[in-house]
Amino acid sequence: MTQSLWWYVALVVLVGLERVAELVVSLRNAKWSFAHGGVEFGKGHYPYMVVLHTGLLAGCVVEAIVSGRPFDPKVGWAALAIVLLMQGLRWWCITVLGYQWNTRVIVVPGLGRVTRGPYRFLRHPNYVAVIGEGIALPLVHSAWITAIAFTLLNAPLLAVRIRTEETALSTVLTR
């Protein structure tokens, strides 16, 4: 493997570790939410999300290794900058939502909709991060098939997810 490929694999591993950190935060927040009367919505789509996001990471590495495509600095560095920006946006969302953030859709009755931070500008800013990262992470090392596949598979799943969140928020939260 080339040096650039080693660095790319390390980047994907770091993103994977970041996902583990998200799951730790999510589990903590789920316990808090359920202890405060939280109601979960959309359990059925969650396993598909886990599989798709795990597949994104695996696909990035497998395609980069199998394809043998070289690192393209023009695309790669720009894509890396987007990946880093998307990580910043994701953690901004996590921080602003506090205990209300979760990888699952769990809503605590009586809590209002969060309208601070990135939520001032968008209803679902975390999904901007998901979309941006799903395109950019593979492109850091020319894994364009993975970028396209993730985007096409993620679009209908994200539509279900957003619809589920909107239903949950309108059903449970105070306005």
Side-chain angles (χ1 to χ4, degrees), residues 59-97:
C60 286
V61 171
V62 169
E63 183 178 352
I65 291 171
V66 171
S67 73
R69 290 185 208 107
F71 175 75
D72 178 351
K74 291 177 186 173
V75 175
W77 289 116
L80 178 61
I82 292 168
V83 168
L84 296 175
L85 285 170
M86 296 303 103
Q87 293 302 319
L89 176 57
R90 174 177 286 115
W91 282 97
W92 188 18
C93 293
I94 291 169
T95 301
V96 166
L97 287 177

Side-chain angles (χ1 to χ4, degrees), residues 112-129:
R113 181 184 289 271
V114 173
T115 57
R116 304 180 316 278
Y119 295 91
R120 284 179 296 180
F121 312 108
L122 297 168
R123 287 178 72 86
H124 299 280
N126 187 64
Y127 299 132
V128 171

Side-chain angles (χ1 to χ4, degrees), residues 28-109:
R28 179 202 68 195
N29 291 350
K31 287 179 186 176
W32 181 90
S33 293
F34 289 133
H36 289 85
V39 179
E40 185 169 3
F41 294 78
K43 290 181 186 179
H45 74 268
Y46 186 72
Y48 296 103
M49 270 183 39
V50 171
V51 168
L52 182 60
H53 285 255
T54 303
L56 169 65
L57 299 177
C60 286
V61 171
V62 169
E63 183 178 352
I65 291 171
V66 171
S67 73
R69 290 185 208 107
F71 175 75
D72 178 351
K74 291 177 186 173
V75 175
W77 289 116
L80 178 61
I82 292 168
V83 168
L84 296 175
L85 285 170
M86 296 303 103
Q87 293 302 319
L89 176 57
R90 174 177 286 115
W91 282 97
W92 188 18
C93 293
I94 291 169
T95 301
V96 166
L97 287 177
Y99 282 107
Q100 289 180 269
W101 180 85
N102 208 294
T103 59
R104 295 156 51 193
V105 181
I106 305 170
V107 182
V108 178

